[in-house]
C-alpha cells in the first residue's frame, strides 16, 4: 500500500512512543486487507492513507483514506432477534441490488451482529458465496431456512432447552452464593467474636472493651466519633475565618479530606453498631414488657423476605428492558406513558434495595443462630442440624463452636472460589452457545430430510481472508471507576473485536492472534455474544446503578471478562499451540480473578486492571456507526432496527453527540419525515384498520462533515411503515400495534414474526436502491453538495434493473427537484 513520506515518518515516531499497537497500526492493516479484497472491476481507486491532522490528543497523527477511494461502510444496529431479522432482509436487498459488492467495512452491534457474524462465518466457510439469496423457488436456501428455524434461539428445542437453561442458571447462582457466603460468614464470625457469650450491651472494637460515659449502651463508638467530628468541624470553621485564609482554595485541601474521612467513619461505625442493636432486639423475649419495635418486626422479617424475594428477582430479570421502557416512556408526550415510566423507575429502585436487604437478613439470622449455639443458656434456638454440626466438630470450644464453624466454612468457600473462573458460571456461555447454534454454520446448497447445517465457530484471527467486508464487532468496555477515561460520565468506552486486532482507545490494542493465545475461548461466537450482552450487572452508559449489586448477585450477567489488551505480551508460536495443563495454567490462571466479581457487583471497573469487563456495544453506541466515522468512510449505510416506538431516533442523537465531541464530525439528516410518516400510518391502521399507501420514505440520505471540509454520505434505513408494505406485514401490524418496534425483551420469535421483520427490511432497503421509493434528503438550495453526493451514489450503486413504469426513477438525483437554469 502506498503512502507519502510524511505519513510514514509520523507513524514511525508514534510507534516509538507506543508499547502496544496504536489505532493507526490497526487502521493500516485493515486498509491493506480491504485493498486486497476489492474486485478487479471495482471503479474506485486503491485506498491510500493520508494525514488529516498532524496530532490528536494522544500525540499520534490522524489518518484518513484518500477521497477518491470512496470507502463504504455498512452498519447493523442492536435490537436482538428483531434487528437480526430486519437486517437480514436489508442484507438480501443490498445483495440483490449489488450494493453489498462495494461494501468495505461491516460494523455490527448486538442483534445486528447476529446476522453480521452469520454472514462473515458463511463467507469464510464457503469462500465468499452469499448464503441468503432472496429467491422465489419452492424452497429457500438452507442457510435462510436454518436461521428461520432457529429464530426462537433460546428455546429452539422446547422444554429440553428450558430445563438446560434453568440448570445452568442455578449452577451460576450456587457459584455466586459461594462467593458471597464467605463474606457473610466472616462478618457473622467477627460479630460472634466481638460479642462472646452473646453480650450485646457492651461497646467494643473487635472484643476490646470501650469505656462508656453515656447513659445508653448502643452506638457509643458512633457517639464518640460524632463528637470528634463536631470538634474538628468547629476548629476548621475558626481556621477558615481567619482573614488570610479566606482566599485559599477549599478543594482540594487536607482539612476537606480529613472531615470527609471522619464523616465516612461515622457512617461505617453507625452501621456496624446497628448490628448488635438489632440482635439485642431479636433476643428480647416475647413476653418481656420492654419488647421493642425491632423485635416485633423481626418476628416476621423472614416471612417478609420470602415474600419479597420473587419480586426482586422478577424486576432484576427485566432490568435492562425496564431501562429501555423508562427511557422511551419519559421521551413520550403522553401523560399515561410518562406515569408508567416513573412507576417502572420506582419499582426498579425498590427492587434494588431488596437483595442487599435480604443479605442483611441472612447475616442477622446466621449471627443469631451462632449466638444461640455459643451460649445455650440463652432462651433461643438455632436449627438443630447446625448446632449438632458445630458441637460435633468444635465441641472442645463450646463458647466459640459456631464461630469456628463459620470460619471453617468460609475457608472452604475461599478454596472453591480459587478454582472457579469468572466467565464459567455466568450466563455468557449459555447465551454464546445458543447464538452459535442459530447463526454460525457451514452453508450447503441442499440438505437431506431432517438434516441440519453443521455448526461452524471459527477463531477471529481466521477471518482476515474470509471473502467478505472487514468485520468490526462492537462492544462496550465498562469503566465506571476510571478517572482518566470516564471524565464525561459515559461509564464505558468503545471496544472492538476484529480479525486482526482487539482493544479500545482506553486499553490500547493487541493482535487478535496474541490475545487468542491467552483467552482460549475467544472466537467469533464469543465476540458475537459479548457484543449482544444486553442484560448485565454493568451496562455502560445504560447502567442502572442501584440495580448493579442485585443483577450481579442474581447472576443476570451476560458480560465477559477478558484479559486487558494492555496486559497482553506478544504470544510465542509455541505458546499458542501449547495444550499441556501447565502451559494453559501459566497463561490463564489468575487465582484472584474470580474476585473481580466483587468489583463487578460494586461497579468498581476501570481500564487498568489485569482483566476488563465487556458488555453489549449498544451500552455506549447502538448503531455501529462510530467506528466507521472514525475510519472516515466516504459512504456509510446504516440499518437501524432498534426498539424506538416513539420514533425519536434516540441512538442517532447520541451518535451525533459522540461524533461531534470525540471525532470532530458533524451529521445532517432529515429523519423527521420518516417519523411523521410512520406515526401517521400507525395511527390510521389503529383507528380505521387501513391507511394510505405511500412509496416511502423508509430511508434518509444525509451528509457527514469531516474535518478539513471533507464530506461523506450517510444512508439511513429505518425500521418504519409507509402503508405500501405487503399484505402479511399489514395484517400483522393490525393485530400487533407495537410492530415494527416490539420490545427487545421478546427474543422468542414465531415464524410469522421473524418473516414480517425480514420482509420489512427487504422492502425498505430494496425500495431505496431500486429508486422506486421516496427518501428524505437535504435540500440542494441549503446544501449545495447534496446533488453531487447523490450523483456519487448513482455512479457507485447504479440501478440493477433499468426501465420500468413511467414513474420509475432510474437515479437518486432524479428524486431531487430540477435545478433552476441560471439567469443570463
Amino acid at each position: 500500500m502506498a503512502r507519502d513520506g510524511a505519513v510514514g515518518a509520523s507513524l514511525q515516531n508514534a510507534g516509538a512512543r507506543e508499547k502496544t499497537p496504536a489505532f493507526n497500526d490497526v487502521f493500516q492493516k485493515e486498509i491493506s486487507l480491504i485493498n486486497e479484497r476489492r474486485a478487479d472491476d471495482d471503479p474506485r481507486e486503491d485506498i491510500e492513507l493520508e494525514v488529516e491532522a498532524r496530532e490528536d490528543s494522544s500525540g499520534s497523527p490522524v489518518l484518513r483514506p484518500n477521497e477518491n477511494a470512496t470507502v463504504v461502510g455498512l452498519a447493523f444496529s442492536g435490537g436482538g432477534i428483531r434487528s437480526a431479522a430486519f437486517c437480514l432482509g436489508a442484507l438480501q436487498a443490498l445483495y440483490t441490488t449489488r450494493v453489498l459488492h462495494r461494501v468495505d467495512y461491516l460494523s455490527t452491534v448486538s442483534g445486528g451482529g447476529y446476522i453480521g457474524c452469520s454472514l462473515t462465518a458463511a463467507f469464510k466457510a464457503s469462500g465468499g458465496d452469499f448464503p441468503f439469496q432472496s429467491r422465489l423457488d419452492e424452497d429457500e436456501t438452507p442457510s435462510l431456512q436454518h436461521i428461520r428455524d432457529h429464530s426462537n434461539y433460546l428455546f429452539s428445542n422446547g422444554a429440553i432447552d428450558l430445563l438446560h437453561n434453568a440448570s445452568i442458571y442455578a449452577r451460576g447462582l450456587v457459584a455466586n452464593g459461594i462467593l458471597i457466603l464467605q463474606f457473610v460468614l466472616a462478618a457473622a464470625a467477627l460479630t460472634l467474636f466481638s460479642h462472646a457469650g452473646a453480650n450485646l450491651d457492651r461497646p467494643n472494637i473487635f472484643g476490646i472493651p470501650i469505656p462508656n460515659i453515656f447513659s445508653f449502651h448502643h452506638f457509643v463508638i458512633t457517639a464518640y466519633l460524632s463528637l470528634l467530628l463536631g470538634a474538628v468541624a468547629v476548629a476548621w470553621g475558626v481556621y477558615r475565618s481567619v482573614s488570610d485564609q479566606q482566599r485559599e482554595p477549599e478543594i482540594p485541601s487536607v482539612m476537606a479530606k480529613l472531615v470527609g474521612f471522619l464523616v465516612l467513619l461515622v457512617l461505617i461505625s453507625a452501621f456496624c453498631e446497628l448490628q448488635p442493636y438489632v440482635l439485642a432486639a431479636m433476643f428480647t423475649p416475647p413476653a418481656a414488657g420492654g419488647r421493642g419495635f425491632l423485635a416485633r418486626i423481626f418476628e416476621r422479617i423472614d416471612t417478609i423476605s420470602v415474600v419479597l424475594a420473587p419480586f426482586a428477582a422478577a424486576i432484576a430479570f427485566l432490568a435492562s428492558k425496564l431501562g429501555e421502557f423508562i427511557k422511551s416512556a419519559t421521551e413520550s408526550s403522553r401523560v399515561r406513558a410518562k406515569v408508567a415510566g416513573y412507576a417502572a423507575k420506582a419499582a426498579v429502585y425498590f427492587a434494588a434495595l431488596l437483595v442487599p436487604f435480604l443479605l442483611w437478613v441472612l447475616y442477622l439470622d446466621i449471627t443469631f443462630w451462632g449466638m444461640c449455639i455459643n451460649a445455650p443458656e440463652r432462651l433461643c434456638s438455632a436449627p438443630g442440624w447446625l448446632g449438632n454440626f458445630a458441637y460435633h466438630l468444635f465441641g472442645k470450644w463450646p463458647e466459640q463452636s459456631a464461630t469456628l464453624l463459620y470460619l471453617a466454612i468460609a475457608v472452604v468457600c475461599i478454596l472453591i472460589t480459587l478454582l472457579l473462573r469468572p466467565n464459567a458460571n455466568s450466563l455468557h456461555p449459555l447465551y454464546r452457545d445458543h447464538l452459535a447454534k442459530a447463526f454460525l454454520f457451514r452453508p450447503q446448497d441442499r440438505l437431506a430430510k431432517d438434516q441440519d447445517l453443521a455448526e461452524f465457530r471459527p477463531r477471529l484471527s481466521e477471518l482476515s481472508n474470509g471473502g467478505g467486508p472487514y468485520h468490526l464487532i462492537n462492544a462496550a468496555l465498562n469503566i465506571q471507576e476510571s478517572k482518566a477515561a470516564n471524565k464525561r460520565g459515559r461509564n464505558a468506552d468503545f471496544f472492538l473485536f476484529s480479525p486482526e486486532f482487539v482493544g479500545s482507545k482506553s486499553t490500547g490494542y493487541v493482535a487478535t492472534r496474541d490475545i487468542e493465545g491467552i483467552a482460549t475461548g475467544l472466537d467469533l461466537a464469543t465476540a458475537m455474544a459479548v457484543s449482544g450482552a444486553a442484560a448485565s450487572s454493568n451496562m455502560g452508559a445504560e447502567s442502572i446503578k442501584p440495580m448493579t449489586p442485585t443483577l450481579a448477585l442474581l447472576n443476570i450477567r451476560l458480560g465477559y471478562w477478558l484479559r486487558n489488551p494492555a496486559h497482553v505480551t506478544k504470544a510465542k508460536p509455541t505458546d499458542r499451540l501449547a495444550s499441556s495443563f501447565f502451559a494453559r495454567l501459566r497463561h490463564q490462571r489468575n487465582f484472584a480473578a474470580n474476585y473481580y466479581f466483587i468489583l463487578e457487583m460494586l461497579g468498581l471497573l476501570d481500564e487498568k486492571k489485569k482483566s476488563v469487563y465487556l458488555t453489549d456495544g449498544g451500552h455506549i453506541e447502538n448503531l455501529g456507526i462510530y467506528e466507521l466515522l472514525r475510519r472516515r468512510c466516504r459512504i456509510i449505510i446504516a440499518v437501524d432496527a432498534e426498539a424506538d416506538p416513539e420514533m425519536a431516533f434516540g441512538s442517532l442523537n447520541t451518535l451525533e453527540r459522540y461524533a461531534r465531541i470525540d471525532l470532530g464530525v458533524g451529521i445532517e439528516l432529515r429523519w423527521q419525515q420518516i417519523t411523521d410518516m410512520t406515526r401517521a400510518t400507525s395511527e390510521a391502521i389503529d383507528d380505521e384498520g387501513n391507511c394510505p399507501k405511500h412509496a416511502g420514505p423508509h430511508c434518509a440520505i444525509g451528509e457527514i462533515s469531516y474535518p478539513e471540509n471533507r464530506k461523506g454520505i450517510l444512508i439511513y434505513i429505518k425500521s418504519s411503515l409507509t402503508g405500501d408494505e405487503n399484505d402479511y406485514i399489514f395484517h400483522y401490524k393490525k393485530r400487533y400495534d407495537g410492530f415494527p418496534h416490539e420490545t427487545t425483551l421478546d427474543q422468542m420469535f414465531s415464524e410469522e414474526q421473524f418473516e414480517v421483520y425480514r420482509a420489512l427490511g427487504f422492502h425498505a432497503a430494496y425500495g431505496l436502491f431500486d429508486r422506486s421509493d421516496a427518501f428524505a434528503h437535504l435540500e440542494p438550495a441549503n446544501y449545495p453538495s447534496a446533488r453531487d453526493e447523490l450523483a456519487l451514489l448513482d455512479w457507485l450503486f447504479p440501478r440493477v434493473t433499468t426501465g420500468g413504469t413511467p414513474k420509475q426513477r432510474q437515479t437518486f438525483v432524479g428524486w431531487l427537484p430540477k435545478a433552476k437554469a441560471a439567469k443570463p
Side-chain angles (χ1 to χ4, degrees):
M1 180 186 66
R3 65 181 182 212
D4 60 33
V7 174
S10 298
L11 291 177
Q12 186 176 6
N13 293 336
R17 293 191 297 268
E18 297 289 344
K19 294 181 180 180
T20 58
F23 174 73
N24 286 338
D25 302 308
V26 174
F27 198 14
Q28 287 181 87
K29 183 62 178 179
E30 293 171 356
I31 293 302
S32 67
L33 292 171
I34 291 172
N35 276 332
E36 291 175 8
R37 175 184 172 268
R38 282 190 172 184
D40 294 335
D41 62 350
D42 198 312
R44 297 170 290 179
E45 294 181 3
D46 283 348
I47 307 172
E48 299 181 3
L49 292 180
E50 58 188 31
V51 175
E52 177 182 273
R54 289 295 171 185
E55 287 190 350
D56 62 10
S57 58
S58 65
S60 300
V62 178
L63 303 183
R64 67 184 180 191
N66 56 312
E67 189 169 18
N68 292 335
T70 315
V71 178
V72 178
L74 172 63
F76 288 159
S77 80
I81 192 67
R82 179 192 61 246
S83 179
F86 184 86
C87 290
L88 171 59
L91 187 63
Q92 291 176 305
L94 296 177
Y95 175 79
T96 303
T97 56
R98 297 191 62 79
V99 172
L100 186 61
H101 298 72
R102 297 288 183 254
V103 173
D104 300 304
Y105 279 109
L106 172 62
S107 178
T108 62
V109 181
S110 194
Y114 300 172
I115 199 64
C117 291
S118 185
L119 176 69
T120 297
F123 273 149
K124 175 64 179 178
S126 65
D129 294 334
F130 185 72
F132 307 121
Q133 293 93 337
S134 176
R135 64 192 189 195
L136 295 177
D137 292 342
E138 182 174 348
D139 291 316
E140 298 176 308
T141 65
S143 298
L144 189 54
Q145 286 181 5
H146 179 90
I147 289 183
R148 194 187 300 280
D149 292 343
H150 289 81
S151 58
N152 183 9
Y153 65 96
L154 291 176
F155 300 97
S156 56
N157 294 320
I160 296 288
D161 277 338
L162 178 61
L163 181 62
H164 290 166
N165 295 351
S167 61
I168 292 171
Y169 174 70
R171 185 193 72 200
L173 278 181
V174 171
N176 284 359
I178 291 172
L179 282 161
I180 296 302
L181 185 60
Q182 55 194 269
F183 293 99
V184 175
L185 289 171
L190 181 60
T191 305
L192 293 176
F193 176 77
S194 299
H195 300 279
N199 192 335
L200 297 165
D201 295 333
R202 295 180 182 176
N204 69 87
I205 299 178
F206 303 124
I208 303 173
I210 301 296
N212 184 7
I213 63 173
F214 304 105
S215 59
F216 47 84
H217 300 292
H218 296 282
F219 300 101
V220 173
I221 299 173
T222 303
Y224 285 137
L225 290 173
S226 299
L227 291 175
L228 176 61
L229 175 62
V232 171
V234 170
W236 189 20
V238 172
Y239 176 74
R240 289 295 303 179
S241 299
V242 179
S243 59
D244 60 348
Q245 293 295 323
Q246 294 182 20
R247 293 181 57 84
E248 294 296 321
E250 288 271 24
I251 300 176
S253 70
V254 175
M255 288 300 300
K257 293 180 180 179
L258 175 61
V259 172
F261 173 75
L262 285 175
V263 170
L264 182 62
L265 197 59
V266 168
L267 295 175
I268 293 173
S269 174
F271 178 75
C272 291
E273 290 195 287
L274 175 65
Q275 313 314 312
Y277 177 69
V278 174
L279 289 166
M282 293 172 67
F283 275 108
T284 305
R291 185 168 170 78
F293 174 75
L294 281 174
R296 293 194 298 271
I297 288 293
F298 269 88
E299 281 183 354
R300 299 179 178 85
I301 198 67
D302 291 334
T303 304
I304 294 172
S305 302
V306 171
V307 171
L308 293 179
F311 174 78
I315 296 295
F317 272 102
L318 302 175
S320 63
K321 306 313 168 192
L322 279 174
E324 179 183 293
F325 171 75
I326 292 168
K327 181 180 178 182
S328 174
T330 52
E331 290 176 348
S332 175
S333 58
R334 293 171 292 181
V335 175
R336 183 177 296 179
K338 285 184 178 293
V339 171
Y342 287 119
K345 192 171 185 178
V348 165
Y349 277 85
F350 179 66
L353 296 173
L354 281 180
V355 170
F357 173 74
L358 294 175
L359 282 177
W360 183 52
V361 171
L362 176 63
Y363 153 79
L364 290 173
D365 281 341
I366 290 175
T367 307
F368 179 80
W369 297 335
M371 289 183 171
C372 293
I373 294 170
N374 287 351
E377 68 276 6
R378 284 280 187 178
L379 297 177
C380 64
S381 61
W385 63 267
L386 184 62
N388 294 334
F389 196 36
Y391 291 138
H392 179 73
L393 291 180
F394 303 104
K396 293 181 180 180
W397 305 276
E399 293 185 357
Q400 292 295 340
S401 56
T403 309
L404 295 173
L405 176 63
Y406 291 169
L407 289 176
I409 297 175
V411 169
V412 171
C413 290
I414 291 172
L415 294 176
I416 295 174
T417 299
L418 296 179
L419 299 176
L420 299 175
R421 306 304 303 149
N423 296 316
N425 295 293
S426 72
L427 294 180
H428 164 79
L430 174 68
Y431 181 51
R432 175 201 63 200
D433 292 344
H434 279 305
L435 287 177
K437 183 178 180 181
F439 293 100
L440 302 183
F441 47 80
R442 294 182 182 273
Q444 292 181 224
D445 293 334
R446 297 184 182 280
L447 285 176
K449 186 177 181 180
D450 297 329
Q451 184 184 0
D452 205 358
L453 293 176
E455 189 173 318
F456 177 55
R457 290 172 59 165
R459 301 176 77 176
L460 284 171
S461 58
E462 297 171 358
L463 301 174
S464 290
N465 57 349
Y470 189 86
H471 197 168
L472 309 174
I473 303 173
N474 297 273
L477 169 68
N478 285 263
I479 50 172
Q480 285 84 337
E481 284 299 298
S482 172
K483 303 303 180 185
N486 194 29
K487 292 180 179 177
R488 299 179 185 129
R490 295 179 184 175
N491 294 326
D493 192 14
F494 302 89
F495 195 91
L496 179 70
F497 293 98
S498 75
E500 290 293 330
F501 290 95
V502 170
S504 68
K505 185 177 181 180
S506 298
T507 61
Y509 297 86
V510 63
T512 303
R513 189 176 297 273
D514 290 334
I515 200 167
E516 284 175 343
I518 296 174
T520 54
L522 179 58
D523 57 13
L524 181 61
T526 298
M528 172 174 59
V530 173
S531 178
S536 193
S537 52
N538 294 267
M539 297 183 286
E542 305 298 321
S543 293
I544 307 175
K545 290 187 177 181
M547 287 295 292
T548 296
T550 298
L551 292 169
L553 289 167
L554 294 180
N555 202 36
I556 303 172
R557 303 165 55 233
L558 293 176
Y560 185 77
W561 284 98
L562 179 71
R563 179 67 61 85
N564 190 334
H567 290 263
V568 176
T569 56
K570 188 171 183 180
K572 299 178 182 179
T574 54
D575 291 338
R576 292 196 297 266
L577 298 175
S579 59
S580 70
F581 171 78
F582 291 105
R584 294 198 306 272
L585 187 69
R586 184 175 69 253
H587 284 294
Q588 294 175 267
R589 298 310 264 180
N590 175 10
F591 288 109
N594 223 27
Y595 285 103
Y596 280 125
F597 171 79
I598 305 301
L599 303 179
E600 181 186 340
M601 185 179 71
L602 300 177
L604 303 176
L605 305 173
D606 62 36
E607 78 287 4
K608 295 181 179 180
K609 293 181 176 63
K610 193 172 183 179
S611 295
V612 292
Y613 191 64
L614 308 174
T615 57
D616 193 315
H619 291 161
I620 185 166
E621 197 268 303
N622 201 36
L623 297 175
I625 299 176
Y626 183 94
E627 292 291 345
L628 300 178
L629 293 175
R630 193 177 182 191
R631 288 157 175 77
R632 303 299 194 247
C633 289
R634 180 77 182 278
I635 299 171
I636 296 176
I637 304 169
V639 182
D640 178 5
E642 71 168 355
D644 186 13
E646 297 297 324
M647 291 295 287
F649 284 70
S651 289
L652 176 64
N653 296 328
T654 299
L655 169 74
E656 289 182 9
R657 184 175 79 250
Y658 289 163
R660 173 68 71 178
I661 294 171
D662 298 356
L663 306 174
V665 173
I667 297 174
E668 289 291 338
L669 191 75
R670 295 294 181 263
W671 54 265
Q672 190 64 45
Q673 296 176 36
I674 302 174
T675 296
D676 294 342
M677 178 61 71
T678 297
R679 285 179 174 174
T681 301
S682 296
E683 289 172 2
I685 293 174
D686 291 343
D687 295 342
E688 304 172 15
N690 205 345
C691 65
K693 313 299 181 183
H694 297 283
H698 293 283
C699 313
I701 299 180
E703 184 176 87
I704 304 169
S705 296
Y706 290 119
E708 296 190 346
N709 203 32
R710 178 74 65 86
K711 298 297 182 183
I713 304 169
L714 177 60
I715 303 173
Y716 203 97
I717 303 172
K718 181 74 170 179
S719 181
S720 53
L721 296 172
T722 62
D724 68 335
E725 293 78 19
N726 65 36
D727 288 344
Y728 59 80
I729 294 178
F730 192 83
H731 181 62
Y732 186 87
K733 171 62 179 175
K734 289 174 67 175
R735 291 180 291 126
Y736 301 98
D737 60 356
F739 177 81
H741 297 285
E742 294 167 297
T743 174
T744 313
L745 184 63
D746 183 4
Q747 292 292 293
M748 295 176 284
F749 270 30
S750 64
E751 176 187 290
E752 178 190 25
Q753 195 174 10
F754 186 88
E755 172 58 19
V756 293
Y757 279 100
R758 185 212 61 81
L760 180 61
F762 185 91
H763 173 77
Y766 186 85
L768 175 71
F769 286 102
D770 188 56
R771 277 63 165 186
S772 55
D773 279 3
F775 55 91
H777 56 79
L778 305 177
E779 294 299 328
N782 299 323
Y783 295 88
S785 58
R787 193 176 298 272
D788 292 337
E789 288 165 0
L790 292 182
L792 174 63
L793 297 180
D794 286 323
W795 170 74
L796 188 60
F797 310 125
R799 184 168 180 256
V800 173
T801 304
T802 58
T805 63
K807 294 183 179 181
Q808 172 67 58
R809 291 173 172 79
Q810 308 299 314
T811 63
F812 288 116
V813 174
W815 281 96
L816 295 180
K818 293 183 178 180
K820 295 181 179 179
K823 293 183 179 180

